[in-house]
Amino acid sequence: MSGLSRYADRLPPIAGDWVGLGEGATPTVALPRLGVAIGLPRLRAKCEQVNPTGSYKDRIAALSLTLARERGQRGWIATSSGNAGTSLGAYGARAGLPGLLLATPTITREKLVPIQAVGTTVVRVADIGTGGSAAAAEAVFATVRRLAAQHDLFLGVTANALNPDGMRGADTIGYELAEEDAPQVVYVPTGGGGLSVCIARGLAQADAPTRVVVAQPEGCAPIARALAGELEQPRVERCTTAISGLQLPSPPDGDAAVAGVRASGGWGTAVGDEAILDAQRLLARLEGLFVEPAAATGVAAAAADAAAGRLARDADVVVVLTGSGAKDLASAAGWAGAVADCEPGEVGEVAARWLADELDVPAPPATGEAPAR
């Protein structure tokens, strides 16, 4: 049973069984230590990284593959930097439908191996993702759309412009936020714009007066810049950010995201890559939540808005944590710290140093010395 099926009356009709792995109904948790640190003591997180394959894309894949199987389609095809591919591959295997994934060249090994493990065919495509061009991305989207129509494949690209029915699965994040305790503001990490559209739509359908904020890296922020009036259209020629998953210079749902965010009374905030990586570190160290950099973008944006005075200190803010840190382990290499080695007889000495450093426990006297009085 899919966790989304309780919203069946609001989603595209399904006559048969759902393709599910237990997705949805993710927790919203308080972030008291991080909130105080960035000046937002009421800060909370919607923990989408706890979905079965580690990202919110499972909601989209569950509905997409349910629809594909019900329609009798032969398989699926999509583009992805990793998370969508992991989700579509897992749910495709569950549904018994083969898939072809066109991936970014920089897809992490942590994302690539699980996609291959479930039997999905993966091909890396040049000039998309890090440093990728808008022209290349648009050409790939056009080719994938053509192939899906020509060969009766479900078009699983996670964009409303390309997969409008499947994307409705992500509307359920908005439904859940409204049911739990709708925040005043929700920060959404944004690449192609699809998740922002879905959350804004779900909240609006639930009559929740929540403002939606698009959070993007400065090196690829076409939607945030369009919302700020810097661009007439949400499109840039090329991305320079290294934040995987948010590298879409020509976001397929850009216009819809701008419209949905404006209708909610929200805005866009762009932050640097270093601020995003710092937010990833703080979230892990202060709250025990290890997410990939893209997922920490909302935290970085909320911190920036709080520092700029755009958010009141008592604002009720939710950040959507879109994907698990286990999907991009190298991103934490710079701050996670080194692992020490020791011999069995050195454990006491190692522990003493840790106690002194972390808990201010005085080091024991050296052998032969009298205890300090």
Side-chain angles (χ1 to χ4, degrees):
M1 174 67 72
S2 169
L4 311 188
S5 60
R6 64 192 181 102
Y7 299 115
D9 60 330
R10 307 187 209 180
L11 300 174
I14 302 295
D17 293 334
W18 280 71
V19 178
L21 290 168
E23 61 291 331
T26 56
T28 299
V29 301
L31 303 177
R33 298 184 67 208
L34 177 60
V36 168
I38 68 173
L40 295 170
R42 297 178 66 191
L43 185 68
R44 294 180 287 155
K46 181 66 168 166
C47 295
E48 287 297 297
Q49 80 278 15
V50 304
N51 277 297
T53 77
S55 87
Y56 79 93
K57 303 272 188 174
D58 288 350
R59 297 176 185 261
I60 301 165
L63 183 52
S64 293
L65 272 300
T66 298
L67 291 168
R69 187 173 68 180
E70 185 150 296
R71 294 169 181 174
Q73 293 184 285
R74 301 171 65 192
W76 61 268
I77 187 170
T79 62
S80 175
S81 62
N83 284 342
T86 306
S87 295
L88 290 164
Y91 286 80
R94 184 81 160 171
L97 294 174
L100 172 63
L101 184 74
L102 291 310
T104 58
T106 54
I107 183 172
T108 67
R109 181 169 177 79
E110 294 88 356
K111 293 177 180 177
L112 178 60
V113 172
I115 299 170
Q116 295 175 301
V118 296
T120 301
T121 298
V122 183
V123 178
R124 289 179 291 212
V125 181
D127 203 26
I128 61 174
T130 305
S133 69
E138 289 164 0
V140 172
F141 285 141
T143 300
V144 169
R145 190 199 295 262
R146 175 179 58 79
L147 290 170
Q150 184 177 350
H151 299 286
D152 194 20
L153 304 173
F154 190 92
L155 182 56
V157 177
T158 51
N160 289 273
L162 299 166
N163 179 11
D165 289 339
M167 286 296 292
R168 295 289 304 282
D171 291 17
T172 59
I173 299 174
Y175 301 156
E176 290 175 13
L177 286 171
E179 289 174 353
E180 294 160 0
D181 183 12
Q184 294 171 321
V185 185
V186 59
Y187 279 76
V188 184
T190 301
L195 181 59
S196 299
V197 172
C198 293
I199 290 179
R201 182 169 57 210
L203 288 164
Q205 289 176 351
D207 296 321
T210 300
R211 291 175 290 169
V212 178
V213 179
V214 160
Q216 293 196 285
E218 290 174 348
C220 196
I223 299 172
R225 292 178 62 193
L227 284 163
E230 298 176 20
L231 298 174
E232 289 188 11
Q233 300 293 328
R235 185 183 188 276
V236 294
E237 290 304 315
R238 192 171 290 275
C239 282
T240 59
T241 179
I243 305 301
S244 177
L246 305 184
Q247 301 160 320
L248 284 92
S250 181
D253 287 334
D255 291 329
V258 169
V261 169
R262 283 182 174 156
S264 76
W267 61 89
T269 298
V271 286
D273 285 13
E274 288 304 315
I276 293 169
L277 295 176
D278 190 51
Q280 179 196 29
R281 179 184 62 82
L282 286 174
L283 190 59
R285 293 292 171 83
L286 297 181
E287 301 292 355
L289 294 172
F290 178 42
V291 299
E292 63 180 333
T297 304
V299 176
D305 284 345
R310 194 165 200 173
L311 293 172
R313 182 172 175 79
D314 65 349
D316 179 14
V317 176
V318 165
V319 291
V320 181
L321 303 182
T322 48
S324 168
K327 291 172 170 284
D328 189 356
L329 298 178
S331 67
W335 54 264
V339 176
D341 297 292
C342 76
E343 298 297 326
E346 298 171 328
V347 170
E349 180 183 346
V350 170
R353 287 199 299 268
W354 178 83
L355 288 164
D357 292 342
E358 297 291 336
L359 303 178
D360 294 324
V361 175
T367 304
E369 292 183 7
R373 294 181 179 272

